[in-house]
Amino acid sequence: MDAREINKAMAAHGVWKVRLREAIESGQSEYQPQVVARDRECEFGKWLHSIPAGERPPEFWNKVQELHVCFHQEAGRILSLALSGEQEEALSLVGDLRGRFVTTSIELTNVLQAWKQVST
């Protein structure tokens, strides 16, 4: 287990919040919603799924994988709304503290932090 991969994942997924807000403001993005929605497209997703099954700590890997999928699905949905001119709805989803995107993002970060602590 590489703590650097977890650090990179947390940073990269934090950047998505900025990218989504920029897409909402401009109505444009260099990214395609259907690609963003796939959890295996980002570097962390590739790394996560490359861990051999026997080396995946189930107390962390399963939850991280589930949250990572949800994060990407929500990011893709928000980006799709932003690019289709539905800025108000997209902005409400990215900023709703009780919404799925925000709560998933927070929970993913928390589980990644816990995984990192036991692996170092």
Side-chain angles (χ1 to χ4, degrees):
M1 176 43 218
D2 189 348
R4 290 175 294 175
E5 291 297 330
I6 290 177
N7 288 335
K8 287 193 301 187
M10 289 187 290
H13 289 88
V15 169
W16 268 107
K17 296 172 192 172
V18 174
R19 288 182 184 144
L20 290 172
R21 287 192 182 276
E22 288 173 350
I24 292 166
E25 290 175 17
S26 69
Q28 300 176 346
S29 175
E30 65 183 274
Y31 301 96
Q32 298 299 314
Q34 64 273 22
V35 175
V36 171
R38 295 192 294 250
D39 72 300
R40 293 177 185 229
E41 295 292 320
C42 73
E43 289 304 311
F44 178 73
K46 291 174 186 174
W47 173 80
L48 185 66
H49 288 282
S50 75
I51 300 171
E55 296 177 24
R56 296 174 179 174
E59 70 275 21
F60 296 109
W61 194 92
N62 295 332
K63 189 65 176 175
V64 167
Q65 193 272 338
E66 172 189 320
L67 291 166
H68 191 241
V69 166
C70 183
F71 177 90
H72 277 277
Q73 288 173 344
E74 288 300 300
R77 182 167 75 114
I78 292 166
L79 184 58
S80 180
L81 289 167
L83 298 180
S84 63
E86 298 181 51
Q87 278 82 6
E88 285 185 35
E89 186 175 353
L91 192 56
S92 73
L93 292 175
V94 82
D96 182 358
L97 298 179
R98 291 185 175 154
R100 191 170 182 194
F101 178 76
V102 174
T103 58
T104 298
S105 181
I106 291 168
E107 191 174 356
L108 178 58
T109 299
N110 290 340
V111 175
L112 287 170
Q113 285 283 18
W115 187 2
K116 186 174 84 168
Q117 286 179 348
V118 300
S119 66
T120 55

